[in-house]
Amino acid sequence: MNTRTWVALVCILNLGLVGFAVAGQLSARVTGEEIRLRVEPVDPIDPLRGAYVDLAYPDLSSRSTEKTEDVYVSLARSGKVWKATTVSTERPAERPFLKCHDDGWRLSCGIESFFVPQDRAREIEADVNGGDAVAVVKVDSRGNAALVSVQAR
């Protein structure tokens, strides 16, 4: 093979790896069902990472085991927001559900950080600290989730 062929193959491989890395988020944003979850603040601004809001979800299970594993959190509507009903290592038949990772101390569902401009971060922080905020999340049929926005109720 000549040099151009090798360069083309390397470029295609790199594009494939990038596509694989963002496939879950992209799928959730494009095909996902929109749900709203109550949020709580964790750590609103990190000077090394920029302006972002780090969120916790009080209505999702705080289940954690000593072993790390992927789990599925089944959701049910409760008024204007959604809440966890069960957490299982088996994929549920009913939708919507979140595919999360139990890392031994909390569930990580890929919707814990929201990056925003500095002035918007302070506004969101005030709403979240006041207990008056919800996360707008899109969830696809495989449980992949993408955090779309955080807004006052």
Side-chain angles (χ1 to χ4, degrees):
M1 279 196 240
N2 64 30
T3 304
R4 286 184 185 195
T5 304
W6 280 109
V7 169
L9 287 174
V10 168
C11 289
I12 291 169
L13 178 63
N14 281 327
L15 285 173
L17 290 173
V18 169
F20 179 74
V22 299
Q25 286 276 320
L26 186 59
S27 173
R29 286 182 185 275
V30 173
T31 65
E33 171 186 356
E34 188 174 284
I35 64 171
R36 295 173 187 272
L37 300 166
R38 285 187 330 117
V39 293
E40 293 179 338
V42 176
D43 182 19
I45 297 183
D46 182 344
L48 299 176
R49 292 175 59 185
Y52 78 103
V53 181
D54 196 13
L55 304 168
Y57 295 86
D59 296 330
L60 297 183
S61 175
S62 59
R63 172 193 180 270
S64 190
T65 61
E66 290 183 14
K67 57 184 184 174
T68 61
E69 59 188 344
D70 288 336
V71 295
Y72 297 92
V73 179
S74 296
L75 301 170
R77 184 181 289 274
S78 176
K80 293 183 179 182
V81 296
W82 292 75
K83 295 184 177 184
T85 56
T86 60
V87 178
S88 171
T89 56
E90 301 294 321
R91 183 176 170 165
E94 298 289 320
R95 291 185 1 203
F97 59 87
L98 297 174
K99 181 180 178 185
C100 303
H101 184 74
D102 185 346
D103 59 15
W105 65 281
R106 75 173 187 168
L107 293 180
S108 298
C109 303
I111 53 175
E112 290 76 27
S113 294
F114 188 53
F115 292 88
V116 292
Q118 188 77 29
D119 58 332
R120 181 78 175 111
R122 294 188 197 290
E123 182 182 321
I124 291 173
E125 177 185 0
D127 288 342
V128 171
N129 283 334
D132 193 34
V134 293
V136 178
V137 176
K138 283 197 160 188
V139 183
D140 72 5
S141 62
R142 294 184 311 270
N144 296 311
L147 179 56
V148 177
S149 68
V150 176
Q151 49 192 230
R153 276 196 248 187

